Amino acid sequence: MSELDPRQVRTRAALHDAILVLAASTPTRSISMAALAREAGVNRSTVYQHYRSPAALLASVLLGELDVLRHTLLADRGPAEGSQRRVIFGVLEHLERHRCIYLRELTDPASELPAMLREHFEVSSRSLMQTSIPMPSKDPTTAAFLQACAPTWIAAASVAAMTAWLAQDERDPEAYFQAHRLLRPAWWP
């Protein structure tokens, strides 16, 4: 893939900022490409050159932040508990920073954001299982089934817990972390 020239970098940054501003007050499904172009100070055709929809742009922006956290977790060779804690707190900070967006989008049946988050956490969980988590079962059939279903289950449960956490008037990251430890399987770090 070729590098973007400085003008393209500025355009993408303006589009990223614009979608965060617009999505903070408007459901993503109600944001038009014209409104996005206006907020970013670019032509509508420019928006289409970079993203297929406002939802795709929002997913790209939010996933970019989450991918940094995933990379940190997978690169951390320290104790699993400490790594998980740092990443979970990082994810909670990300959710808090974009709370108005996530709170609305995670409860909107038409939103693409819940599926995007589940997929992100499923990939993260699958990577952790392949690199850091010993299988709790020596039975090959059970171990294979766990490898197939556990990442999906962990991801769905995590998104549900995050949605509930965001809905709280007072959000305590430590309380979330402790509840997460109690809810996840005992063999999960």
Side-chain angles (χ1 to χ4, degrees), residues 3-112:
E3 288 188 40
L4 298 176
D5 71 35
R7 189 182 63 220
Q8 290 173 314
V9 171
R10 284 191 304 275
T11 297
R12 285 198 174 207
L15 289 169
H16 289 194
D17 291 345
I19 193 63
L20 290 175
V21 166
L22 293 170
S25 61
T26 307
T28 307
R29 62 182 152 70
S30 299
I31 298 171
S32 69
M33 293 296 253
L36 186 55
R38 203 170 27 257
E39 182 68 32
V42 300
N43 292 320
R44 192 170 51 170
S45 62
T46 302
V47 179
Y48 282 107
Q49 289 172 355
H50 290 271
Y51 298 98
R52 65 176 164 70
S53 68
L57 171 55
L58 181 61
S60 175
V61 171
L62 297 175
L63 276 174
E65 292 181 20
L66 290 169
D67 284 344
V68 170
L69 294 169
R70 176 173 41 214
H71 177 72
T72 300
L73 172 64
L74 296 176
D76 192 340
R77 299 293 177 220
E81 181 72 21
S83 298
Q84 286 277 15
R85 180 185 189 83
R86 283 188 294 282
V87 170
I88 287 172
F89 274 68
V91 168
L92 295 176
E93 287 173 19
H94 165 85
L95 293 171
E96 189 67 44
R97 192 168 47 254
H98 304 295
R99 181 173 184 254
C100 52
I101 296 170
Y102 278 114
L103 194 57
R104 182 183 47 258
E105 298 291 323
L106 288 174
T107 58
D108 180 351
S111 176
E112 298 175 22

Side-chain angles (χ1 to χ4, degrees), residues 95-96 99-100 102-104 106-107 159-172 176:
L95 293 171
E96 189 67 44
R99 181 173 184 254
C100 52
Y102 278 114
L103 194 57
R104 182 183 47 258
L106 288 174
T107 58
V159 171
M162 290 171 194
T163 303
W165 184 77
L166 283 168
Q168 302 293 309
D169 289 332
E170 293 185 30
R171 291 162 306 285
D172 179 8
Y176 177 94

Side-chain angles (χ1 to χ4, degrees), residues 137-152:
S137 175
K138 300 300 179 205
D139 173 58
T141 304
T142 303
F145 181 70
L146 275 174
Q147 287 179 325
C149 74
T152 303

Side-chain angles (χ1 to χ4, degrees), residues 100-137:
C100 52
I101 296 170
Y102 278 114
L103 194 57
R104 182 183 47 258
E105 298 291 323
L106 288 174
T107 58
D108 180 351
S111 176
E112 298 175 22
L113 216 51
M116 179 273 298
L117 269 183
R118 282 191 305 274
E119 182 178 319
H120 175 82
F121 293 122
E122 183 176 342
V123 169
S124 299
S125 297
R126 198 167 304 288
S127 294
L128 271 176
M129 283 189 76
Q130 292 170 349
T131 61
S132 310
I133 300 174
M135 276 294 106
S137 175

